[in-house]
Amino acid sequence: MKKYLAITAALALALTACGQTAADSTPTPTAATEAAAAPAEQLQSIGSGTLRLLTAAADGVYYQAFNDCEINYTDTMGRALIYAIDEQTGDARPVCNLPGCAHDSAACPAWSDGNVTLCYGDGDEVYLLAFYYNDETSYYRWERINSDHTERILLAEVEPGLSVVGRGVAVDDANLYYSVLTDDNRRQTLWAVDKTGGQAQKICTWDDLPDGTGEYAPEMYTLLEVGGQQMTFAKMIQSNDALTKAMQICTVDLANGSCTPQQRYERDAGTVFVTGDGMEKRDLISYRNDYQILTEGSRSGLANCNYQSGEVGYLNAAADSFTPVADGFPTTRAGWECYYSLTGFADGWLVWVDECGCDENGNGTGDNTTRQYFCRNGVKTELTQQRYVPGKDVRNIRILDAQQGRVLAAYDTKTGTVHDVDKDGTTYTRPMNWDVYGVIALDDLLAGSTDFTPLNFAE
């Protein structure tokens, strides 16, 4: 059963889809300057122009890094390049416009050598969070590919031992805004780095706020919304009994660097169907208000899930307003436990529903189902398209984006056999699965079509 955590914060220490770790050598994009904290008077204006949240989707294009093995379905890792996927046509091209470029070295803006963990689009500009390591240390770097796709610029090198919070990154006309965690994942700091000069400035920390430091990594402030010169964050507050949970909201004013606590959304006590008395029993509780931070898709914010009425909604924390997404989903009840997960796109919402059978003690029976629904204008449509994944049986297709009437998804699975070497140096073969990506019109998807256009990877 796939259970969704209330927060799955993207601490972007990642591996590529083919299992390659980050590179042990450091490419050399054009270095703007060192990213040590600079005095405020040396920086361009903080809060300059319109703040914009960054995601992989931008203006009909989706940015993602692929290894050659994911494209050619081979056991040879090959290059790792950042591709711009045109969701209208299905064309995927490296983010490089250098004439005659072979896309095989750090001279190419799109070349990543497997170290790019996250890609963000802002119009034609692309921001990259990359992870580097060598024999002595490891660290993250922020890099930017210019709008002409001819140059890759180093923006900031994060101090070794710090983790970058990958979900909730913003830009304005002058700066990139991001937050980092200390090596013990208890202290969090918000930074701005100048997009042209590369100077970095600490804006604020959350240490002085109630619940400002966390006991473990998921307890962090995640950026939800931006507006004017204000950034709105949320953090999950959970007690030791794992039943009491709340979302604490705070705002950061870029004009003066102040961090101010706002409202707190408390999860209700719920309806208990099974009491947790005795070692053989577990609590089975149906909540009216269960809050989750959106951690995927191109929309950020809070989901509010009602497991009693079957309603899922979107909560705008900055405006303290609630918008229903859809209702009529399966509910938690005697014999069944349900979990919802919400993902937001430009063209609508995706709701995952896990329905799990439970016995009289609240323990799982193994009778589980997973469904996904696309919702727009309050109307939900169950998506019936599935794919077979060897070793994992039939699974729902995986939707990456939905914008401008088109959908990008991993809609099929390619199976094959690859070669590997064991610890004794003996060569052997093993099965391998690769995702197959494609695009389709949203209306066709909702009508049940499986006629995807496979991505056309070209140089």
Side-chain angles (χ1 to χ4, degrees):
M1 181 198 71
K2 178 179 58 182
K3 261 189 167 181
Y4 290 88
L5 297 177
I7 296 180
T8 53
L11 299 177
L13 176 55
L15 304 179
T16 66
C18 293
Q20 179 183 1
T21 58
D24 61 1
S25 60
T26 302
T28 53
T30 303
T33 186
E34 292 296 323
E41 62 269 15
Q42 295 181 15
L43 285 170
Q44 297 294 323
S45 164
I46 297 294
S48 175
T50 303
L51 270 172
R52 305 176 294 278
L53 282 169
L54 294 184
T55 68
D59 299 332
V61 177
Y62 191 89
Y63 297 97
Q64 182 167 321
F66 289 94
N67 282 92
D68 282 348
C69 67
E70 299 174 273
I71 299 170
N72 302 321
Y73 311 125
T74 68
D75 56 353
T76 302
M77 296 297 297
R79 304 168 303 178
L81 299 176
I82 300 118
Y83 284 85
I85 302 170
D86 186 327
E87 295 186 34
Q88 291 296 321
T89 65
D91 290 332
R93 297 184 180 277
V95 186
C96 172
N97 284 330
L98 291 176
C101 184
H103 314 306
D104 59 358
S105 72
C108 171
W111 186 77
S112 77
D113 199 25
N115 57 358
V116 170
T117 64
L118 293 172
C119 306
Y120 304 88
D122 183 33
D124 291 328
E125 290 188 323
V126 184
Y127 293 85
L128 309 173
L129 179 60
F131 178 74
Y132 297 97
Y133 70 83
N134 53 40
D135 293 337
E136 297 180 355
T137 188
S138 60
Y139 54 92
Y140 291 94
R141 295 204 320 198
W142 284 105
E143 301 168 3
R144 176 173 63 89
I145 301 176
N146 65 355
S147 59
D148 294 332
H149 299 172
T150 58
E151 185 180 22
R152 186 150 146 196
I153 301 165
L154 169 62
L155 292 181
E157 190 169 292
V158 180
E159 180 183 342
L162 301 183
S163 298
V164 175
V165 182
R167 181 66 178 183
V169 179
V171 296
D172 58 20
D173 294 346
N175 299 289
L176 171 75
Y177 300 91
Y178 63 98
S179 60
V180 298
L181 294 170
T182 56
D183 53 3
D184 62 2
N185 290 331
R186 288 178 54 84
R187 301 181 64 243
Q188 186 176 356
T189 307
L190 179 64
W191 288 80
V193 59
D194 179 76
K195 296 194 296 184
T196 56
Q199 298 95 342
Q201 180 182 3
K202 183 189 298 183
I203 296 177
C204 70
T205 66
W206 282 268
D207 290 358
D208 295 333
L209 297 184
D211 302 307
T213 58
E215 293 298 328
Y216 60 98
E219 289 191 351
M220 67 184 68
Y221 278 102
T222 301
L223 179 60
L224 300 181
E225 297 139 12
V226 296
Q229 291 186 309
Q230 181 172 289
M231 309 175 79
T232 301
F233 292 81
K235 175 181 177 178
M236 182 183 73
I237 310 298
Q238 185 164 309
S239 67
N240 292 331
D241 63 11
L243 300 178
T244 303
K245 187 178 74 174
M247 286 293 174
Q248 177 63 56
I249 308 301
C250 78
T251 55
V252 174
D253 188 344
L254 296 179
N256 55 27
S258 63
C259 184
T260 306
Q262 303 294 343
Q263 71 272 20
R264 178 181 291 214
Y265 297 106
E266 301 279 353
R267 182 166 71 178
D268 67 287
T271 299
V272 180
F273 292 105
V274 176
T275 59
D277 297 332
M279 294 295 295
E280 74 282 2
K281 293 186 178 182
R282 60 180 290 270
D283 292 310
L284 180 60
I285 302 177
S286 180
Y287 296 101
R288 291 188 305 272
N289 293 293
D290 191 21
Y291 299 99
Q292 304 170 11
I293 295 177
L294 274 61
T295 57
E296 297 180 352
S298 58
R299 295 194 194 185
S300 294
L302 286 178
N304 186 353
C305 302
N306 189 326
Y307 298 119
Q308 293 185 20
S309 69
E311 182 182 53
V312 177
Y314 170 78
L315 190 64
N316 184 322
D320 194 17
S321 63
F322 174 80
T323 301
V325 169
D327 57 16
F329 295 107
T331 58
T332 294
R333 57 204 183 277
W336 291 95
E337 187 173 17
C338 293
Y339 302 93
Y340 308 151
S341 178
L342 181 66
T343 301
F345 304 110
D347 281 2
W349 303 90
L350 187 68
V351 177
W352 284 85
V353 178
D354 285 328
E355 193 172 13
C356 312
C358 297
D359 61 20
E360 65 276 9
N361 294 319
N363 299 312
T365 62
D367 189 12
N368 306 327
T369 61
T370 298
R371 300 182 178 91
Q372 60 178 339
Y373 301 83
F374 197 90
C375 309
R376 54 181 180 176
N377 302 321
V379 178
K380 69 179 186 297
T381 301
E382 183 175 357
L383 301 181
T384 58
Q385 294 89 341
Q386 294 182 317
R387 57 179 181 155
Y388 177 72
V389 181
K392 299 181 180 179
D393 206 359
V394 175
R395 295 293 179 91
N396 300 88
I397 64 172
R398 180 166 60 91
I399 295 177
L400 282 74
D401 192 34
Q403 59 173 318
Q404 300 184 7
R406 301 285 287 180
V407 175
L408 171 66
Y411 71 96
D412 202 356
T413 304
K414 175 74 173 179
T415 62
T417 302
V418 299
H419 296 85
D420 209 337
V421 180
D422 63 20
K423 63 180 181 180
D424 298 323
T426 304
T427 301
Y428 68 98
T429 60
R430 61 183 176 88
M432 175 68 79
N433 305 317
W434 300 270
D435 286 333
V436 179
Y437 297 87
V439 294
I440 192 173
L442 175 58
D443 288 341
D444 292 343
L445 182 79
L446 297 181
S449 174
T450 57
D451 188 18
F452 284 84
T453 299
L455 294 188
N456 173 37
F457 289 91
E459 304 209 358

